[in-house]
Amino acid sequence: RKKQSSLSDQLVLESNNLSDLQNKLSALQETYQQKKDKLSREQHLLTLLSDENEQRLSHMQQDGERQISKSKNDLHYLEKKLDDLIAGHSKTLEERSSQVKDLKQKFVREMEMARSKVDAMLEKKQQMVEEASVRLLELNKEVTRVQKELDDARKKKLLHMSS
């Protein structure tokens, strides 16, 4: 009778331990699923942000190219206007040369400004991509850690059930 009672007590204890392990496993599985869902949402958000940034960058590049094209057209217009003025007025060669030089310098400044804007936009985009990559790497490490915990809990459950 005592043996039976002792075995019965031990069975109840083992049953309680098994129940605790099952509860812990369920909690870990739920945590794992939540983290997996969060990662999926963040990856989706990252994809959306990346696509949006690609579109912005494309628009910025197109705007930069339009500005460059407009500056070239303006330069050609101003050069023609200068040629017309020179033909209409008698100026010295030195004055004409100075005006052309000034116009070319203005054009070069505008080109440099447009180029620096495009370069800054590209650099910002690269920085955003690098930051997103770091975040994704961190999330992947977290998923790996949770997966390991889940695997360890499963192993404990199997070991406990086999003993």
Side-chain angles (χ1 to χ4, degrees):
R1 247 191 198 297
K2 269 189 173 182
K3 233 181 187 183
Q4 225 177 11
S5 174
S6 174
L7 285 173
S8 176
D9 290 344
Q10 188 176 5
L11 184 60
V12 167
L13 182 64
E14 289 294 322
S15 177
N16 289 340
N17 287 340
L18 180 59
S19 178
D20 288 346
L21 283 173
Q22 286 174 335
N23 289 340
K24 287 179 182 176
L25 178 60
S26 287
L28 279 173
Q29 286 172 331
E30 185 177 326
T31 300
Y32 170 75
Q33 189 60 44
Q34 288 171 351
K35 296 220 180 222
K36 187 176 174 184
D37 292 345
K38 181 181 178 183
L39 176 62
S40 177
R41 287 189 304 272
E42 288 186 7
Q43 285 176 328
H44 179 70
L45 180 61
L46 179 61
T47 300
L48 291 176
L49 288 173
S50 179
D51 291 346
E52 183 180 323
N53 288 332
E54 290 282 337
Q55 287 178 346
R56 283 184 189 167
L57 180 60
S58 176
H59 290 301
M60 288 177 189
Q61 286 175 328
Q62 290 170 359
D63 287 345
E65 289 170 4
R66 279 192 290 271
Q67 287 176 356
I68 289 170
S69 178
K70 183 183 180 309
S71 294
K72 284 181 181 178
N73 290 336
D74 289 348
L75 177 64
H76 292 301
Y77 169 76
L78 291 173
E79 286 176 340
K80 184 177 178 345
K81 188 174 180 179
L82 178 60
D83 288 344
D84 292 345
L85 288 172
I86 290 171
H89 300 11
S90 59
K91 293 184 179 181
T92 65
L93 183 57
E94 192 173 322
E95 289 173 327
R96 291 179 203 154
S97 176
S98 176
Q99 287 180 340
V100 169
K101 184 179 176 182
D102 291 343
L103 289 172
K104 285 183 180 180
Q105 287 174 347
K106 179 182 176 187
F107 173 73
V108 167
R109 284 192 303 269
E110 288 178 359
M111 292 287 287
E112 289 172 354
M113 187 169 34
R115 187 174 288 122
S116 70
K117 285 181 182 179
V118 169
D119 288 346
M121 290 184 283
L122 289 173
E123 185 176 311
K124 185 175 180 181
K125 171 67 178 168
Q126 180 63 33
Q127 182 183 5
M128 290 172 66
V129 168
E130 289 172 7
E131 289 171 2
S133 293
V134 167
R135 179 66 182 136
L136 186 57
L137 182 62
E138 290 172 0
L139 290 172
N140 283 334
K141 286 180 182 178
E142 180 67 20
V143 167
T144 301
R145 185 189 62 73
V146 169
Q147 182 66 44
K148 185 179 181 319
E149 288 178 8
L150 186 59
D151 289 345
D152 290 345
R154 285 183 183 140
K155 287 178 187 176
K156 284 182 183 178
K157 180 180 177 183
L158 288 174
L159 286 175
H160 186 68
M161 288 175 57
S162 67
S163 60

